[in-house]
Amino acid sequence: MNKILKAVLPIAGLGTRMLPATKNLPKELLPVFDKPMIEYAIKEASEAGIEDFVFITGKDKEVLQDYLNKKYLSDYTFGLENRPTKTKILKKNDLKPYNITFVRQEEPLGLGHALLCAKNIIGSEPFCLILPDMLPKGDPGCLSQMLEAYNTNKGNVIGLEKIPMEDTYKYGIVKISNKKNNVCKIDNMIEKPRPENAPSDLMIMGRYILQPEIFDILEHQNPGHNNEIQLTDALITLTKTQKFTGMIFDGKTYDCGDKLGYLIANIKYSLDGETNNPDIRNTLLNLMQTLEG
Ligand code: G1P
């Protein structure tokens, strides 16, 4: 079996739903509570065993390259060696010794086109595709859950999550069969259908394990929804010849490319785990009472 070691992370999007914050700041650097959004994706992937990260970048993303510069992070930031607590925070969030490649997407022609930019670097191996503005909160992480499904089913695996029917127009939606527990067969997909045309209420939630044959299809893919080269259209073609498994994520995904999703993610992460802070909880509860009163 091929171990999955490479991940592609498209970060070339213009972040238009988050304007004006994203006017010239990459949305992937916006903090979710106390860490930039991108760090959650990196942590999730490295916990799943990913060693090679391929970022598809675009306009105004250079600052993200500096952020991901490991040496700069650990040794040179603001002379923090004299301030032990701050150094500890950076070290804790520090990035493992993995390999990073940046590929420039010259024009924003869609997710399918962004992925195609990684063709030569990925080569002939299966790989993960991670959309970092979709933030899945779960334990184990979403990609780790998906790898378990991949090890049993091989082929291609797509992360899925139930959403309210009225939101189907925002996401790729799947048609499934043979559902057993959280795993199912994907029969078809449609990009951003209106609720009346949606085959289910299961969205493609931004995590994929794909076979390299997707690149041959993407090379000939015509523009689809929104006149963009859609990954979903290429995936539909690949379903004709390869197995597609859906894994319903055991957790909750926050759409951080959207102002409401981003706000909720900030609240959830501020209340959880290591960051759990009673002052924040109490302040939020008081705020709720003020709103109700
Ligand atoms: C892309 C995919 C879509 C998926 C979504 C998740 O859309 O095309 O199928 O549901 O990501 O965020 P985009 O957000 O690039 O419009």
Side-chain angles (χ1 to χ4, degrees):
M1 159 130 20
N2 284 331
K3 207 166 172 281
I4 312 268
L5 298 173
K6 294 183 179 173
V8 179
L9 295 89
I11 53 169
L14 303 176
T16 42
R17 286 181 295 156
M18 295 296 277
L19 284 168
T22 47
K23 187 164 167 271
N24 45 6
L25 177 74
K27 79 176 156 198
E28 298 78 11
L29 277 187
L30 295 179
V32 174
F33 187 49
D34 63 350
K35 283 193 285 289
M37 204 184 287
I38 195 72
E39 281 209 23
Y40 294 88
I42 292 173
K43 183 161 180 276
E44 177 194 344
S46 57
E47 280 172 3
I50 298 298
E51 294 178 0
D52 294 302
F53 289 77
V54 183
F55 290 91
I56 313 298
T57 75
K59 186 177 162 296
D60 291 332
K61 303 287 174 161
E62 292 80 6
V63 63
L64 199 56
Q65 299 197 20
D66 287 343
Y67 184 84
L68 293 171
N69 184 317
K70 286 172 278 183
K71 196 69 186 157
Y72 176 81
L73 233 189
S74 50
D75 291 350
Y76 299 124
T77 309
F78 313 124
L80 286 178
E81 57 278 11
N82 299 324
R83 296 162 67 186
T85 332
K86 294 281 185 322
T87 310
K88 214 170 115 209
I89 291 171
L90 278 180
K91 291 265 188 231
K92 186 159 72 80
N93 291 340
D94 205 353
L95 312 167
K96 288 192 177 159
Y98 48 61
N99 303 314
I100 304 183
T101 311
F102 295 98
V103 184
R104 178 92 180 191
Q105 184 190 20
E106 296 276 334
E107 283 178 275
L109 298 179
L111 178 59
H113 179 262
L115 176 59
L116 185 56
C117 296
K119 179 178 193 261
N120 290 348
I121 295 166
I122 297 297
S124 54
E125 291 172 41
F127 62 97
C128 295
L129 171 65
I130 301 174
L131 310 186
D133 60 352
M134 294 298 274
L135 182 47
K137 193 166 189 307
D139 187 15
C142 184
L143 273 180
S144 301
Q145 293 182 26
M146 285 172 66
L147 280 171
E148 224 183 290
Y150 176 75
N151 290 337
T152 318
N153 294 283
K154 325 279 189 309
N156 303 268
V157 179
I158 297 187
L160 303 176
E161 195 169 318
K162 220 171 159 38
I163 51 164
M165 212 57 203
E166 62 266 26
D167 286 344
T168 59
Y169 74 96
K170 299 178 184 170
Y171 304 103
I173 303 293
V174 291
K175 179 167 185 282
I176 65 158
S177 58
N178 294 349
K179 180 168 172 297
K180 287 199 188 77
N181 301 320
N182 63 338
V183 172
C184 56
K185 177 175 176 292
I186 294 182
D187 298 318
N188 205 355
M189 298 165 230
I190 170 165
E191 187 64 15
K192 304 190 174 75
R194 286 146 61 126
E196 59 273 27
N197 300 328
S200 76
D201 58 357
L202 289 170
M203 73 157 166
I204 298 174
M205 46 63 67
R207 298 293 182 275
Y208 310 73
I209 296 174
L210 299 175
Q211 296 299 322
E213 287 74 21
I214 191 67
F215 292 116
D216 303 331
I217 300 171
L218 281 172
E219 266 176 338
H220 306 288
Q221 187 62 53
N222 290 323
H225 183 86
N226 215 13
N227 207 26
E228 291 177 349
I229 299 182
Q230 293 291 348
L231 173 63
T232 304
D233 294 340
L235 294 174
I236 293 168
T237 307
L238 196 58
T239 58
K240 312 277 188 262
T241 51
Q242 289 192 5
K243 190 171 171 187
F244 270 75
T245 300
M247 192 224 58
I248 301 169
F249 170 51
D250 181 13
K252 165 83 185 147
T253 299
Y254 299 100
D255 183 350
C256 291
D258 168 83
K259 287 181 186 176
L260 180 60
Y262 176 72
L263 175 67
I264 298 172
N266 271 279
I267 294 170
K268 282 287 185 184
Y269 277 90
S270 75
L271 291 173
D272 257 36
E274 287 171 41
T275 54
N276 193 355
N277 180 334
D279 290 344
I280 297 176
R281 187 177 297 272
N282 292 337
T283 307
L284 285 172
L285 285 172
N286 287 339
L287 183 65
M288 284 297 297
Q289 277 164 4
T290 322
L291 291 175
E292 275 167 15

